[in-house]
Structure formats: structure tokens, C-alpha cells
Amino acid sequence: MAAAHTPRESAHAAALGVRQALGGSFAAISKWERELGKLRVLVNTGELAEGEEEFPDDESYPVHEFPEIVGFLHEQWAGGGEPSAWVETAEGVHAPAPRVPEEGPAGAGGGNRQRMAALRRRGRGCCVVAPIVLHGRAWGELYVARRTGEPVFGRADADFASVLAAVTAAGIAQTERLAEARRLAFTDALTGLANRRAVDMRLDEALELHRRDEVVVSLVVCDLNGLKRVNDSRGHAVGDRLLERFGSVLSLCGAMLPGTLVARLGGDEFCLLAVGPPADEVVKVAGELCDRAGELDLGEGVAVGVASTGDPIGPVRSARRLFRLADAAQYKAKAARSGEPVIAGRHGGKDDPVVRLADAPDRRTGPERRRFRR
């Protein structure tokens, strides 16, 4: 689990480990979704029955069908105690009963009809169930089953399953912390969009696809007009609101191109990175973006430049080259106060003024120079 990069990978590693440790033929890790009242299966491992999938898209069960766990959903386990695992069989013997504070969950000790029926239907004779407790709350459950005719799990197995559930919880907590750290590392804090680091990584991957399979890669660079004036006249809180509103508009337009990365590069600069859609579709969305940005009640619209490998812009062998072309187009749009996007390469190929600007020696200073130092 320590090597897992995603919650799914972590749950898969846990299921494989507990199945082997408990000598089961099948194991699953499920999550209790309180807001939906469901027990959702994340992963199944081992001998899968008909209809079971290793990574199910939507295998879930109403929590009310499992009265023996309902009590766990409302308990706090921050004091160090944890619920115990229990064993069920296809014949309905439910022992040992789960232990919870005070009266315990309704139905403990009698066996669960849904689990019993599922065991028989899938050729399994018994199962051991252990709640997974995370941050002092019931998070989900660990489930391990054996085939019909194999030895039934006993008290020692249930106790061991409780220990394994605690280990699983620790692994899941670590994976979630790492996932959150990765999310923050690639996310702009103000807008919630991707940040420059995420764009650089995705663009390198996209250009590798372009070189190998001639996949069209398009970059739309946007410079939000009037942000400084808003900050100076109405305060930075209002300026932040403008950035957030434009980020929402950009996200909406990016959704028109499947798989597009929507990002804030920094300050008043944003971008869309589209991989796959034809250049004409990207240009159409860029035009829609200009229209919608012009309708915002804050700011003065947006300057938009587009560079796409689907247009005659010459060979694109690096991310820096595509960025320079998109930046040059955006610079032209800003200088002309254009309400429409400027597209690199569509006015003369290599003799296009935008392409020539991008290829010219960089003699600018200040913000203009920084624009081309990507």
C-alpha cells in the first residue's frame, strides 16, 4: 500500500494482502458512503463469481440491508478502541458477534440474510467482515470469504482481520494524504484550476503523442484585461473575484473540448491545453471564450491567442515552441484590443506575423520579456 499512487491502487493492494493473510479465496474492500446511504465496493480480488468485477464501476448496496454495521456509522472511535470483526456463514451462523460500544448495532448475533444469500449464490461457505476505521470514524469494511467446504473462520481469524483492517486504514490514510499533496502541487489555490506545473507536465506528454502518432495539440493562452485597474480601483478582493469568475468561464468553455486541461498560469494569465480535437474546434471554443469573457460585469474582456499543431506553424519539437507561438498570438490580440482570438499560422504559414514574432530574437524587457521566457 505504501507504493500506491491512488486510493484504488491502495485498496487493491490491501485486498490482495488480506486475502493471502487470512487464506481466503476472495476479498473485497468497500467504502461506506454516508451521504448516499450506500456500501460501495472499490475492489474485488481472488476468485470472482459471475457478475463480479475486479474494479466495479457501480457495485453498491444500501446500508440498511446490513443492520449489523449501521451502528458503526454513527460511532466515534477516536478514543483508541475499534470495532471487532465477525464471521458469517452460508447457513446463517453469525459468530462471534461484532462488538461495539453500549448496545451495539441492531441485528448483531443473528446473521445477515443478504450476506448469507450472497455466499450461497457465489459458492462461498463463510466470510469474515472487519470495519475499517479512519480518522476516528467508520470508513468502510474489509471482507474475506472462503469456498464452500473449506474451514470456517474462527475467533482467531476475526481478531486477525481486525488487525489487518487497522493496517489497511493506515495505508488508506497515507494514500489520501499523498493524493491531497499531489492535488495541491498541481492546483491553483484561488481558482481551483490546474497550475503551471500541471500544464508543463501534460504538454510534454501531449507533444510526445504528437511526435509519435501525429495527435493534434493545441494551446490557448489568455490574458485577462483590466485586472490591474480592478485591483487598484476596487481592491484585491474584487480582483480575486474577477479571476475566479473568469476561471469558471474558462472551465465551461474547456468542457466543450473533451479531455482539455484548464489552467491558471499565474497572475492574469490562463490557458487551455487540448489534445486530440481538430484546430478548427479549438478556435471555435476560443471565440466562445472571448464572447463570454466580454459579458462579465468585471474586467475588460480577454486577449486570446491560439497555437495548434493542426495549423501551418512549422515543426513543434518542444513545449517552449508552442508556448511562444500561443503567447505571440495573444500578444497580437492584446495590442490590437481584439475581441476575437488570434491564431498562429493562419495568415501566411511561416510568414505569418505571429510566427515571425515568436521566432524573432527576444529584445523585449519587463513583462513582455517574461511572456516569452517559458
Side-chain angles (χ1 to χ4, degrees), residues 34-68:
R34 285 177 173 79
E35 70 279 10
L36 300 177
K38 291 182 177 181
L39 179 69
R40 181 167 62 88
V41 179
L42 302 180
V43 60
N44 296 309
T45 65
E47 298 175 3
L48 304 185
E50 184 178 355
E52 290 179 329
E53 298 178 1
E54 186 173 25
F55 297 106
D57 291 328
D58 188 26
E59 183 183 350
S60 59
Y61 306 93
V63 170
H64 71 262
E65 292 184 358
F66 301 91
E68 76 278 7

Short mmCIF file of all heavy atoms in Angstrom, two decimals, residues 34-68:
data_model
loop_
_atom_site.label_atom_id
_atom_site.label_comp_id
_atom_site.label_asym_id
_atom_site.label_seq_id
_atom_site.Cartn_x
_atom_site.Cartn_y
_atom_site.Cartn_z
N ARG A 34 -21.79 7.67 3.53
CA ARG A 34 -22.87 8.12 4.41
C ARG A 34 -23.89 8.98 3.68
O ARG A 34 -25.10 8.86 3.88
CB ARG A 34 -22.29 8.92 5.58
CG ARG A 34 -21.60 8.10 6.65
CD ARG A 34 -21.02 9.01 7.71
NE ARG A 34 -20.49 8.27 8.84
CZ ARG A 34 -19.32 7.65 8.84
NH1 ARG A 34 -18.57 7.69 7.76
NH2 ARG A 34 -18.91 7.00 9.91
N GLU A 35 -23.38 9.91 2.83
CA GLU A 35 -24.29 10.86 2.20
C GLU A 35 -25.25 10.18 1.24
O GLU A 35 -26.32 10.70 0.94
CB GLU A 35 -23.49 11.95 1.47
CG GLU A 35 -22.73 11.49 0.21
CD GLU A 35 -21.40 10.84 0.51
OE1 GLU A 35 -21.13 10.55 1.69
OE2 GLU A 35 -20.65 10.59 -0.45
N LEU A 36 -24.86 9.00 0.74
CA LEU A 36 -25.71 8.25 -0.19
C LEU A 36 -26.37 7.05 0.46
O LEU A 36 -27.22 6.40 -0.14
CB LEU A 36 -24.89 7.78 -1.41
CG LEU A 36 -24.24 8.89 -2.24
CD1 LEU A 36 -23.40 8.28 -3.35
CD2 LEU A 36 -25.30 9.82 -2.83
N GLY A 37 -25.95 6.74 1.69
CA GLY A 37 -26.51 5.58 2.38
C GLY A 37 -26.16 4.27 1.70
O GLY A 37 -26.97 3.34 1.66
N LYS A 38 -24.92 4.19 1.16
CA LYS A 38 -24.54 3.00 0.39
C LYS A 38 -23.19 2.45 0.86
O LYS A 38 -22.35 3.17 1.38
CB LYS A 38 -24.43 3.33 -1.10
CG LYS A 38 -25.75 3.62 -1.79
CD LYS A 38 -25.53 3.87 -3.27
CE LYS A 38 -26.84 4.10 -3.99
NZ LYS A 38 -26.64 4.33 -5.46
N LEU A 39 -23.05 1.16 0.65
CA LEU A 39 -21.77 0.48 0.81
C LEU A 39 -21.25 0.24 -0.61
O LEU A 39 -21.80 -0.57 -1.35
CB LEU A 39 -21.96 -0.84 1.55
CG LEU A 39 -20.71 -1.69 1.79
CD1 LEU A 39 -19.79 -1.02 2.79
CD2 LEU A 39 -21.10 -3.07 2.29
N ARG A 40 -20.23 0.98 -1.02
CA ARG A 40 -19.74 0.90 -2.40
C ARG A 40 -18.47 0.07 -2.47
O ARG A 40 -17.50 0.33 -1.74
CB ARG A 40 -19.46 2.30 -2.95
CG ARG A 40 -18.97 2.30 -4.41
CD ARG A 40 -19.02 3.68 -5.01
NE ARG A 40 -18.16 4.61 -4.30
CZ ARG A 40 -16.87 4.79 -4.60
NH1 ARG A 40 -16.31 4.09 -5.58
NH2 ARG A 40 -16.14 5.66 -3.93
N VAL A 41 -18.45 -0.93 -3.33
CA VAL A 41 -17.30 -1.81 -3.49
C VAL A 41 -16.24 -1.12 -4.35
O VAL A 41 -16.50 -0.72 -5.49
CB VAL A 41 -17.72 -3.15 -4.14
CG1 VAL A 41 -16.49 -4.05 -4.32
CG2 VAL A 41 -18.78 -3.85 -3.30
N LEU A 42 -15.04 -1.01 -3.81
CA LEU A 42 -13.93 -0.40 -4.54
C LEU A 42 -13.16 -1.42 -5.36
O LEU A 42 -12.73 -1.14 -6.48
CB LEU A 42 -12.97 0.29 -3.56
CG LEU A 42 -13.55 1.39 -2.68
CD1 LEU A 42 -12.46 1.96 -1.77
CD2 LEU A 42 -14.17 2.49 -3.52
N VAL A 43 -12.96 -2.62 -4.78
CA VAL A 43 -12.17 -3.63 -5.48
C VAL A 43 -12.56 -5.03 -5.01
O VAL A 43 -12.89 -5.23 -3.84
CB VAL A 43 -10.65 -3.39 -5.23
CG1 VAL A 43 -10.32 -3.47 -3.76
CG2 VAL A 43 -9.79 -4.37 -6.01
N ASN A 44 -12.58 -5.97 -5.94
CA ASN A 44 -12.75 -7.40 -5.66
C ASN A 44 -11.50 -8.12 -6.13
O ASN A 44 -10.98 -7.84 -7.22
CB ASN A 44 -13.95 -7.98 -6.41
CG ASN A 44 -15.27 -7.37 -5.97
OD1 ASN A 44 -15.58 -7.32 -4.79
ND2 ASN A 44 -16.08 -6.91 -6.92
N THR A 45 -11.00 -9.08 -5.33
CA THR A 45 -9.82 -9.84 -5.74
C THR A 45 -10.04 -11.33 -5.48
O THR A 45 -10.88 -11.71 -4.68
CB THR A 45 -8.56 -9.40 -4.97
OG1 THR A 45 -8.73 -9.72 -3.58
CG2 THR A 45 -8.31 -7.92 -5.12
N GLY A 46 -9.26 -12.15 -6.17
CA GLY A 46 -9.35 -13.60 -5.97
C GLY A 46 -10.29 -14.23 -6.98
O GLY A 46 -10.38 -13.80 -8.13
N GLU A 47 -11.02 -15.25 -6.54
CA GLU A 47 -11.95 -15.98 -7.41
C GLU A 47 -13.25 -15.20 -7.52
O GLU A 47 -14.07 -15.18 -6.60
CB GLU A 47 -12.19 -17.38 -6.85
CG GLU A 47 -10.92 -18.22 -6.78
CD GLU A 47 -11.16 -19.57 -6.13
OE1 GLU A 47 -12.33 -19.87 -5.77
OE2 GLU A 47 -10.18 -20.32 -5.95
N LEU A 48 -13.46 -14.57 -8.66
CA LEU A 48 -14.64 -13.74 -8.85
C LEU A 48 -15.81 -14.58 -9.36
O LEU A 48 -15.65 -15.42 -10.25
CB LEU A 48 -14.35 -12.62 -9.85
CG LEU A 48 -13.16 -11.71 -9.53
CD1 LEU A 48 -13.07 -10.58 -10.55
CD2 LEU A 48 -13.26 -11.14 -8.14
N ALA A 49 -16.98 -14.36 -8.79
CA ALA A 49 -18.18 -15.05 -9.23
C ALA A 49 -18.78 -14.31 -10.42
O ALA A 49 -18.35 -13.20 -10.78
CB ALA A 49 -19.19 -15.12 -8.09
N GLU A 50 -19.79 -14.91 -11.03
CA GLU A 50 -20.46 -14.29 -12.17
C GLU A 50 -21.02 -12.93 -11.76
O GLU A 50 -21.68 -12.79 -10.74
CB GLU A 50 -21.58 -15.19 -12.67
CG GLU A 50 -22.28 -14.66 -13.92
CD GLU A 50 -23.35 -15.60 -14.42
OE1 GLU A 50 -23.48 -16.70 -13.85
OE2 GLU A 50 -24.07 -15.23 -15.38
N GLY A 51 -20.73 -11.93 -12.58
CA GLY A 51 -21.23 -10.59 -12.30
C GLY A 51 -20.28 -9.74 -11.49
O GLY A 51 -20.47 -8.52 -11.39
N GLU A 52 -19.25 -10.33 -10.87
CA GLU A 52 -18.28 -9.56 -10.10
C GLU A 52 -17.15 -9.08 -11.00
O GLU A 52 -16.71 -9.80 -11.90
CB GLU A 52 -17.70 -10.39 -8.95
CG GLU A 52 -18.71 -10.68 -7.85
CD GLU A 52 -18.14 -11.53 -6.74
OE1 GLU A 52 -17.24 -12.36 -7.03
OE2 GLU A 52 -18.58 -11.38 -5.59
N GLU A 53 -16.67 -7.88 -10.74
CA GLU A 53 -15.56 -7.31 -11.49
C GLU A 53 -14.47 -6.88 -10.52
O GLU A 53 -14.76 -6.51 -9.38
CB GLU A 53 -16.02 -6.09 -12.31
CG GLU A 53 -17.07 -6.42 -13.35
CD GLU A 53 -17.53 -5.17 -14.09
OE1 GLU A 53 -16.99 -4.07 -13.78
OE2 GLU A 53 -18.41 -5.28 -14.94
N GLU A 54 -13.23 -6.92 -10.99
CA GLU A 54 -12.13 -6.54 -10.11
C GLU A 54 -12.27 -5.09 -9.65
O GLU A 54 -12.12 -4.78 -8.47
CB GLU A 54 -10.78 -6.75 -10.81
CG GLU A 54 -9.60 -6.51 -9.90
CD GLU A 54 -8.28 -6.88 -10.54
OE1 GLU A 54 -8.19 -6.87 -11.80
OE2 GLU A 54 -7.33 -7.18 -9.80
N PHE A 55 -12.57 -4.20 -10.60
CA PHE A 55 -12.78 -2.80 -10.27
C PHE A 55 -14.17 -2.39 -10.76
O PHE A 55 -14.32 -1.86 -11.86
CB PHE A 55 -11.71 -1.92 -10.92
CG PHE A 55 -10.31 -2.20 -10.43
CD1 PHE A 55 -9.40 -2.87 -11.23
CD2 PHE A 55 -9.92 -1.80 -9.16
CE1 PHE A 55 -8.12 -3.13 -10.78
CE2 PHE A 55 -8.63 -2.05 -8.70
CZ PHE A 55 -7.73 -2.72 -9.50
N PRO A 56 -15.20 -2.66 -9.98
CA PRO A 56 -16.57 -2.38 -10.43
C PRO A 56 -16.84 -0.89 -10.56
O PRO A 56 -16.37 -0.08 -9.75
CB PRO A 56 -17.44 -3.01 -9.34
CG PRO A 56 -16.56 -3.04 -8.13
CD PRO A 56 -15.17 -3.25 -8.63
N ASP A 57 -17.60 -0.54 -11.60
CA ASP A 57 -17.97 0.86 -11.79
C ASP A 57 -19.05 1.30 -10.80
O ASP A 57 -19.02 2.42 -10.30
CB ASP A 57 -18.47 1.09 -13.22
CG ASP A 57 -17.35 0.97 -14.24
OD1 ASP A 57 -16.21 1.31 -13.90
OD2 ASP A 57 -17.63 0.53 -15.37
N ASP A 58 -19.99 0.40 -10.53
CA ASP A 58 -21.10 0.81 -9.67
C ASP A 58 -21.69 -0.39 -8.93
O ASP A 58 -22.86 -0.71 -9.09
CB ASP A 58 -22.18 1.51 -10.50
CG ASP A 58 -23.26 2.13 -9.62
OD1 ASP A 58 -22.96 2.45 -8.46
OD2 ASP A 58 -24.40 2.27 -10.09
N GLU A 59 -20.86 -1.07 -8.17
CA GLU A 59 -21.36 -2.15 -7.31
C GLU A 59 -21.55 -1.58 -5.91
O GLU A 59 -20.58 -1.28 -5.21
CB GLU A 59 -20.37 -3.33 -7.28
CG GLU A 59 -20.91 -4.50 -6.46
CD GLU A 59 -19.92 -5.65 -6.35
OE1 GLU A 59 -18.90 -5.63 -7.08
OE2 GLU A 59 -20.16 -6.57 -5.54
N SER A 60 -22.78 -1.41 -5.53
CA SER A 60 -23.05 -0.81 -4.21
C SER A 60 -24.32 -1.42 -3.64
O SER A 60 -25.15 -1.98 -4.37
CB SER A 60 -23.20 0.71 -4.33
OG SER A 60 -24.26 1.04 -5.21
N TYR A 61 -24.45 -1.32 -2.33
CA TYR A 61 -25.58 -1.91 -1.62
C TYR A 61 -26.10 -0.92 -0.58
O TYR A 61 -25.30 -0.26 0.10
CB TYR A 61 -25.13 -3.21 -0.92
CG TYR A 61 -24.47 -4.18 -1.85
CD1 TYR A 61 -23.07 -4.18 -2.01
CD2 TYR A 61 -25.21 -5.08 -2.61
CE1 TYR A 61 -22.45 -5.06 -2.89
CE2 TYR A 61 -24.60 -5.97 -3.48
CZ TYR A 61 -23.22 -5.94 -3.62
OH TYR A 61 -22.61 -6.81 -4.50
N PRO A 62 -27.42 -0.80 -0.45
CA PRO A 62 -27.98 0.10 0.56
C PRO A 62 -27.52 -0.32 1.96
O PRO A 62 -27.57 -1.50 2.30
CB PRO A 62 -29.50 -0.07 0.40
CG PRO A 62 -29.68 -0.61 -0.98
CD PRO A 62 -28.47 -1.46 -1.26
N VAL A 63 -27.09 0.64 2.75
CA VAL A 63 -26.58 0.33 4.08
C VAL A 63 -27.65 -0.31 4.96
O VAL A 63 -27.35 -1.14 5.81
CB VAL A 63 -26.00 1.61 4.74
CG1 VAL A 63 -25.68 1.36 6.20
CG2 VAL A 63 -24.75 2.05 4.01
N HIS A 64 -28.93 0.04 4.72
CA HIS A 64 -29.98 -0.52 5.58
C HIS A 64 -30.11 -2.03 5.42
O HIS A 64 -30.74 -2.69 6.24
CB HIS A 64 -31.33 0.16 5.31
CG HIS A 64 -31.94 -0.20 3.98
ND1 HIS A 64 -31.82 0.61 2.86
CD2 HIS A 64 -32.65 -1.29 3.58
CE1 HIS A 64 -32.46 0.04 1.85
NE2 HIS A 64 -32.96 -1.11 2.26
N GLU A 65 -29.50 -2.60 4.37
CA GLU A 65 -29.54 -4.05 4.21
C GLU A 65 -28.53 -4.73 5.13
O GLU A 65 -28.51 -5.96 5.22
CB GLU A 65 -29.22 -4.42 2.75
CG GLU A 65 -30.31 -4.01 1.76
CD GLU A 65 -30.01 -4.49 0.36
OE1 GLU A 65 -28.93 -5.10 0.15
OE2 GLU A 65 -30.84 -4.26 -0.54
N PHE A 66 -27.72 -3.96 5.82
CA PHE A 66 -26.69 -4.52 6.69
C PHE A 66 -26.85 -3.93 8.10
O PHE A 66 -26.06 -3.09 8.53
CB PHE A 66 -25.29 -4.20 6.15
CG PHE A 66 -25.07 -4.74 4.76
CD1 PHE A 66 -25.35 -3.96 3.65
CD2 PHE A 66 -24.60 -6.03 4.57
CE1 PHE A 66 -25.16 -4.46 2.37
CE2 PHE A 66 -24.41 -6.54 3.30
CZ PHE A 66 -24.70 -5.76 2.20
N PRO A 67 -27.89 -4.36 8.82
CA PRO A 67 -28.15 -3.77 10.14
C PRO A 67 -26.99 -3.94 11.11
O PRO A 67 -26.84 -3.14 12.04
CB PRO A 67 -29.39 -4.53 10.63
CG PRO A 67 -29.41 -5.80 9.83
CD PRO A 67 -28.84 -5.43 8.49
N GLU A 68 -26.14 -4.95 10.90
CA GLU A 68 -25.04 -5.15 11.86
C GLU A 68 -23.97 -4.07 11.73
O GLU A 68 -23.10 -3.97 12.59
CB GLU A 68 -24.42 -6.54 11.67
CG GLU A 68 -23.52 -6.69 10.45
CD GLU A 68 -24.29 -6.95 9.16
OE1 GLU A 68 -25.53 -6.88 9.17
OE2 GLU A 68 -23.63 -7.23 8.14
#
